[in-house]
Structure formats: structure tokens, C-alpha cells
Amino acid sequence: KGGGGGSGGAKFGYEAAVCGGIPIINALQSCYAGDVVHEVMGICNGTTNYMLGKMETGADYSDVLREAQDLGYAEADPTADVEGHDVRAKIAILAKLAFGTTVPVESIPCMGITGVTAVDFEYARLLGCTVKLVGTAARLSKYGERDGALSVYVAPKVVPNSHLLASARGCGNAVAVDSANLGVASYTGPGAGRYPTASSVVADVRRIADGLCPPDPFPLESSIELDNDYTSNFYVRISFADSLGIVRRVGEIAERRGVSIHSILQNPIDDRGAADFVVTTEACKLSQVTGMCEDVAGEDFARGPPLCMPMLMEDFARGP
Amino acid sequence: KGGGGGSGGAKFGYEAAVCGGIPIINALQSCYAGDVVHEVMGICNGTTNYMLGKMETGADYSDVLREAQDLGYAEADPTADVEGHDVRAKIAILAKLAFGTTVPVESIPCMGITGVTAVDFEYARLLGCTVKLVGTAARLSKYGERDGALSVYVAPKVVPNSHLLASARGCGNAVAVDSANLGVASYTGPGAGRYPTASSVVADVRRIADGLCPPDPFPLESSIELDNDYTSNFYVRISFADSLGIVRRVGEIAERRGVSIHSILQNPIDDRGAADFVVTTEACKLSQVTGMCEDVAGEDFARGPPLCMPMLMEDFARGP
């Protein structure tokens, strides 16, 4: 009667594994049975969300990291949080639940928040946006239902202030699910902490005791193809030592890589030896924009490689 | 062999009954087993939320109602929506799920949106707020856990723009649950519509087929006392024909009713024969503020009874 695993009838609940205080696993297991999920996006790491919130109000990355460590949010070795590895593990679980696809963690493109600086929040503000570390699992063809390949990735994302993901503050987590029948539904709450986590564990124990745990804790494996060279609009911040013709040069590189530029933003230049500007792109593939960034990094005027972040556009921004 | 009801083992799912596309019934049934809910608040009526959203941007109540009827949101007889009766029925269900208390619908204080005008949105904006029709079920003593009586009511509420309830736009619904372990968690999504409703019904059917429906669709009856003379800060809009000493007179009436005034707001007066000002109160009982409004309505300067709305304060406003 219920062995230790295998086919012995063991029940497995893991509600606290992703977004500790948000019943997102239960929701994906039992509320989308007759629906088709297009996309799951989540802020699933409270530590980095806390840090980005502080940086939004002007604090410096290294100061904020030390503060998060002092508060016990960040580990002494913060790599798993700030490099996005924790979010990567969680979006793999959410992708499995939403799409039935086992995504090898190593195959998930993953960028953390270590390259994000105060100036990115300034440019984001010009765009009516903020920056959030987001795990995303999205079908390429939103309306193709079962025929679009699946992209899963982690990156700091430029998110419109009007989007519900922007409203996750402090250590709070938030998950948005876009589906054929419901449109966008969202779930917010505490991401971690002993009480939320314990509460989710108790709810699991109670469900198991009542026989209400799904017989298959993960959905059956689907045959959705993976394609992690995802498509998005991108934000590209180029740091440069000022000289003539930079915008023209960047334009040439973008054209060669097939990247169409949507807008160019530049703050007033205080220091001509250490300036930056931002290019936003039309929708293109990750490989195109990273190719463009590599080419730009090889130019004489470049001070290091550009910072490239996907942008969440308004069509997924409105919420219900 | 599930009979037609009673103790015959019939299963009953009703996810679509409240907030059609939001799995709030499932969440309250199975995710708060080890937790203690303090408060449930919800925007559960898409029609009135649509109307208030239009009024916020300057439209007139009667124009908006006609538009909502043309769009098929509002019935030819819109009473159930605009008088709050639909929200009243839904908050009674949510109160039963969250607190195990059967609340007679007739006992629930219920105010609709028919008295809300464009000027209320102007004053709300001065307060950093908007107006939403909200169903509320709250324990009087938030930290007394099991000893506080329960208040259940429906009213247009003055809601801070930073609150997640303010972010429910258009026909969207939103429910916030404040509990001992999770703090504030929230659920947003479409409130109605054929696809969301059908999707919730399919999820119920699937849960029943899989044997995953809770054996008791409603929790056991608890012994929580009901006290619908709820406590809140209030917004009171007083319409008057201008004369001397009105604020002093209102102050005297408030004092006699034991109502402490928090602030007084007055827009520039265009027409001295048809002006208004707003008093916000410290926390007091509904009976005190309605008594004050009755007294004010009896004064010579009053043009009709004041409009009185509870205010959601920032301590419940921050979200996760």
C-alpha cells in the first residue's frame, strides 16, 4: 500500500518547490485540464527581486547584494540566485507542468542580474518599464496551439510598469499564465519563508491524506519540440568611448545580422570616455541579437560586450 | 455509485460559480488547509469593474451603463450587477470556503455603484486611489486568529492605486487572500465569458473523474460569530449648497457620533449652489458613519444624503 516510489502507489506533492506561498503547481496540475497553455512567465526568486527593487530606487548592485546577505535573503555564495540558476530549475518544473515537456536544465539559456546596472533602470524608465528577472516557457506559435515549438529561458526582462509582473515587490513572487481559454491569469504571493513554505507542505500532506493528490504528479511526456533560440524584442545597451559614427556602425552591424532596430535612446553624455546608449529591436531571434552584440563588442569604440535583455511587449502586458 | 445528492457520495464541483476563470474555489478548498485566513477581498463582477474603469477616465454613469448593455456585459435590467447583489452572492460563497461560515445573503450590507460619480474618482485620485466594487469577508481581529467575529459586506471601496485590486482592469476579476502563513496572495484572471467558464467546468469534470474533488465541497460549519457592523476608515462625500460654517457643523456631528475625522478635501468650488467636499475618517464602525451621514442629510445645507465608502488602507495595500 504505497511503496517508496516507482509504481507502488506512492504519492508525491511538491507545492513548495516553486514559489513557496503560491499554489501554482496545484493550479497547473488541476485547473488547465481542458485548456491549452501558451506561455508561463514567472518571477520565482525573491532574493533577486528584492535586489532589483532596491536597484530601481538607485542602490548599487554590490551594496544591495551585501544588504540581501545581511538580511539572510542571499547566501554567502549568491551564485545560484544572481546567475539565475535557481530560476532555471524552477522554470523547468513549470514548463514540465504546463507543457509536459522535460527540459534539460543545461539546455536552458540563462542570464542572471550581475550585468544589470543603475543606468538600465534609467533607460527602462524612459520606456515606461522596469527590469525583473523572469523565467519564461513559451510556445513559439501562440495561436498554433500544438504545433509551435517551446522556448524555455531565464533572463532579466524589460517589463512594462503596467504589467502585473512589475507589481511583484520586495521578495514577492508572481506567475502569469497565458492560455487559450483563460487569457492571462496571474498568481502572486510570497516566494519563500518558513511560514509560506510550511503552509504549502501542510496543504500537500492534507491533499495526500485525503486522496486528492493527482495520481501522476507530472503530466505525461509530450512531443513538443524544444527551440531555445527564442524570438523577442530586445533591449541592447552599448557602452562606448565616444567617437564619430558609432550609431551608423551599430546600424550596419544590426543590418548584417538581420536585426531591425526599433528605437535608439541616449541619456545626456556626461563623460565622453564612458558613455552608453540603448538600441531596442523589433522581434528577432536570440542568436541574431547575440551575434550583433558579439560584433559590436569587437569594435574599437566598445567598452566591453553590450548588455542584452528581452523585452516584454504590451500585447502580453495588459493582464485580465 | 454516487447518488443524486445527500450522503450518496455525489461529488460537486463549482469552480465557475465565482470569478469564472480564476481557480479561487480550488485554492481555498485545498491550499489553506494548515493556514488561518484573515480576510478575503474580491472584485468578482466584471460588468461593474468595466463600468468603473470607464468612469475613472471621465465617462458618465448612464453612458457607461448603456455601453455595457450594448456590449452584452450588462443585462437589460442591470440591478443584480450595479446594486452589488451578484457580488453579495459570491462573497457569501468565498466566506463559506475561507471561514466555514454560512452567511445569510440578506444579512450582508450591500451597496452598489449607482451613487458613485465622476467627482468621486477626482477625490480618489487626490488620495492616490481609485474606486472598485469589492466584496469583503474579514475577521475583526486580524491577529486574534480564531476569536475575531466575521464581517461580510459589499461596497464600492476607495482602493490605493498601488494595490493589486486596483490593477484589475476591464472585465477582469481579482481576489486577494490575507492569511496567517502566506500574508497576501492574489489571484487574477477573467471573471466570466464562455471560454473561461467552460474551462473551469471542464477542470471540475476532470477532477471528479479522477476522484480529486474534495469529499466535502464546503468546509464544515464553524462557530465564528457574525458582526456586519464592520470597522473601516471611510470616505464620506457631502454635497451641499454653500453657506458659512458647514465644516464646523459636520465636525460637530462627527464628534457626536464618535467619528474621528482624518482629513478634509475640497475641490475648487465652481457653483456655490452645488458643491461638495470629502471627509475621510479614522477607523470607526459602519453604524457610526451611517449615523453621521443621516444627521448630515438632515441639515439645511445638504443636497441629499452623503455618499459613504470604506477605504482600503495601505497596511493591506502592499501585496507580497
Side-chain angles (χ1 to χ4, degrees):
Chain A
K1 315 210 161 169
S7 58
K11 299 284 187 183
F12 177 53
Y14 54 103
E15 186 56 70
V18 182
C19 300
I22 304 178
I24 184 64
I25 289 177
N26 180 262
L28 287 173
Q29 280 177 331
S30 83
C31 302
Y32 290 87
D35 205 348
V36 177
V37 176
H38 298 313
E39 182 160 2
V40 177
M41 283 199 315
I43 295 173
C44 312
N45 182 278
T47 304
T48 48
N49 201 52
Y50 174 84
M51 291 173 65
L52 291 173
K54 289 282 178 180
M55 287 171 71
E56 184 175 22
T57 59
D60 185 63
Y61 175 83
S62 52
D63 293 341
V64 167
L65 176 57
R66 199 159 39 239
E67 186 187 332
Q69 286 169 327
D70 290 345
L71 286 167
Y73 296 154
E75 312 276 338
D77 177 0
T79 309
D81 290 329
V82 299
E83 296 292 358
H85 302 164
D86 176 66
V87 177
R88 187 176 57 177
K90 289 168 176 171
I91 194 66
I93 294 174
L94 296 181
K96 175 74 179 171
L97 282 161
F99 304 102
T101 305
T102 304
V103 187
V105 162
E106 322 76 57
S107 76
I108 298 177
C110 181
M111 198 201 328
I113 63 166
T114 55
V116 179
T117 63
V119 75
D120 295 309
F121 285 97
E122 286 173 33
Y123 283 115
R125 199 171 296 124
L126 288 177
L127 295 161
C129 293
T130 186
V131 179
K132 295 288 189 186
L133 182 61
V134 179
T136 303
R139 303 294 295 271
L140 287 182
S141 157
K142 184 166 172 175
Y143 300 102
E145 302 212 339
R146 303 224 170 263
D147 67 316
L150 179 70
S151 295
V152 183
Y153 60 97
V154 177
K157 226 173 201 175
V158 178
V159 177
N161 286 321
S162 60
H163 194 279
L164 45 91
L165 289 189
S167 69
R169 272 163 281 180
C171 291
N173 282 191
V175 180
V177 181
D178 188 8
S179 70
N181 290 334
L182 301 189
V184 179
S186 76
Y187 307 83
T188 71
R194 53 184 174 163
Y195 293 111
T197 304
S199 209
S200 290
V201 171
V202 168
D204 271 340
V205 169
R206 170 71 179 273
R207 276 189 283 260
I208 290 172
D210 288 349
L212 302 180
C213 240
D216 301 306
F218 289 105
L220 291 179
E221 193 67 21
S222 72
S223 58
I224 299 175
E225 185 194 345
L226 279 177
D227 179 357
N228 283 334
D229 189 15
Y230 63 88
T231 297
S232 177
N233 300 60
F234 288 92
Y235 163 108
V236 181
R237 179 188 22 96
I238 297 164
S239 298
F240 63 98
D242 201 16
S243 66
L244 282 175
I246 294 179
V247 169
R248 179 190 51 77
R249 192 74 196 103
V250 169
E252 285 169 2
I253 292 171
E255 188 179 355
R256 194 169 64 223
R257 291 291 186 167
V259 174
S260 189
I261 289 176
H262 178 76
S263 71
I264 297 180
L265 305 172
Q266 179 159 14
N267 278 337
I269 295 180
D270 294 329
D271 175 356
R272 297 186 78 83
D276 45 59
F277 69 104
V278 164
V279 168
T280 69
T281 78
E282 304 283 353
C284 66
K285 285 190 170 284
L286 176 65
S287 57
Q288 290 176 293
V289 76
T290 52
M292 172 184 148
C293 288
E294 280 164 24
D295 291 353
V296 168
E299 294 287 320
D300 285 343
F301 60 77
R303 294 185 298 117
L307 177 80
C308 162
M309 297 189 277
M311 299 179 71
L312 187 57
M313 300 308 281
E314 284 288 338
D315 65 335
F316 191 59
R318 291 211 180 83
Chain B
K1 313 202 163 184
S7 57
K11 298 284 189 186
F12 176 53
Y14 55 104
E15 186 57 70
V18 181
C19 301
I22 304 178
I24 184 65
I25 289 177
N26 180 262
L28 287 172
Q29 280 176 332
S30 83
C31 303
Y32 289 87
D35 205 348
V36 177
V37 177
H38 297 314
E39 182 160 1
V40 178
M41 285 199 314
I43 294 173
C44 314
N45 182 277
T47 305
T48 48
N49 201 52
Y50 175 84
M51 292 174 65
L52 291 173
K54 288 283 179 180
M55 289 171 71
E56 184 175 21
T57 59
D60 186 62
Y61 175 84
S62 51
D63 292 342
V64 168
L65 175 57
R66 199 160 38 240
E67 186 187 332
Q69 286 169 327
D70 290 345
L71 286 167
Y73 296 154
E75 312 275 337
D77 177 0
T79 310
D81 289 330
V82 299
E83 297 292 358
H85 302 164
D86 176 66
V87 178
R88 187 175 57 177
K90 289 168 176 171
I91 194 66
I93 294 173
L94 296 181
K96 176 73 179 173
L97 282 161
F99 304 102
T101 305
T102 303
V103 186
V105 162
E106 322 75 57
S107 77
I108 298 176
C110 181
M111 197 199 331
I113 65 166
T114 54
V116 179
T117 64
V119 74
D120 295 309
F121 285 97
E122 287 175 31
Y123 283 115
R125 199 171 296 126
L126 288 177
L127 295 161
C129 294
T130 186
V131 179
K132 294 288 189 186
L133 183 60
V134 178
T136 304
R139 304 294 294 270
L140 288 182
S141 157
K142 185 165 173 176
Y143 299 103
E145 302 213 339
R146 302 226 169 264
D147 67 317
L150 180 69
S151 295
V152 183
Y153 60 96
V154 177
K157 227 173 201 174
V158 178
V159 176
N161 285 321
S162 59
H163 194 279
L164 46 91
L165 289 188
S167 70
R169 272 163 282 179
C171 291
N173 282 191
V175 180
V177 180
D178 188 7
S179 70
N181 290 335
L182 301 189
V184 179
S186 76
Y187 308 83
T188 71
R194 54 186 174 161
Y195 294 111
T197 304
S199 207
S200 290
V201 171
V202 168
D204 272 339
V205 169
R206 170 72 178 273
R207 274 190 285 260
I208 290 172
D210 288 348
L212 302 180
C213 240
D216 301 305
F218 289 106
L220 291 178
E221 192 69 19
S222 72
S223 58
I224 299 175
E225 185 194 344
L226 279 177
D227 178 355
N228 283 334
D229 189 15
Y230 63 88
T231 298
S232 178
N233 299 60
F234 288 92
Y235 163 107
V236 181
R237 187 208 348 119
I238 297 165
S239 298
F240 64 97
D242 201 15
S243 66
L244 283 175
I246 293 177
V247 169
R248 179 188 54 75
R249 192 75 196 102
V250 169
E252 286 168 1
I253 291 171
E255 188 178 356
R256 195 169 65 223
R257 291 289 186 168
V259 174
S260 189
I261 290 175
H262 177 75
S263 71
I264 297 180
L265 305 171
Q266 180 159 14
N267 278 336
I269 295 180
D270 294 328
D271 175 356
R272 298 185 78 80
D276 45 58
F277 69 104
V278 164
V279 169
T280 69
T281 78
E282 303 283 353
C284 66
K285 284 189 169 285
L286 175 65
S287 58
Q288 290 176 295
V289 77
T290 52
M292 172 184 149
C293 288
E294 280 164 25
D295 292 353
V296 169
E299 294 285 321
D300 284 345
F301 61 76
R303 294 185 299 117
L307 177 80
C308 162
M309 297 190 278
M311 299 178 72
L312 188 58
M313 301 306 283
E314 284 288 338
D315 64 335
F316 192 60
R318 293 213 179 82

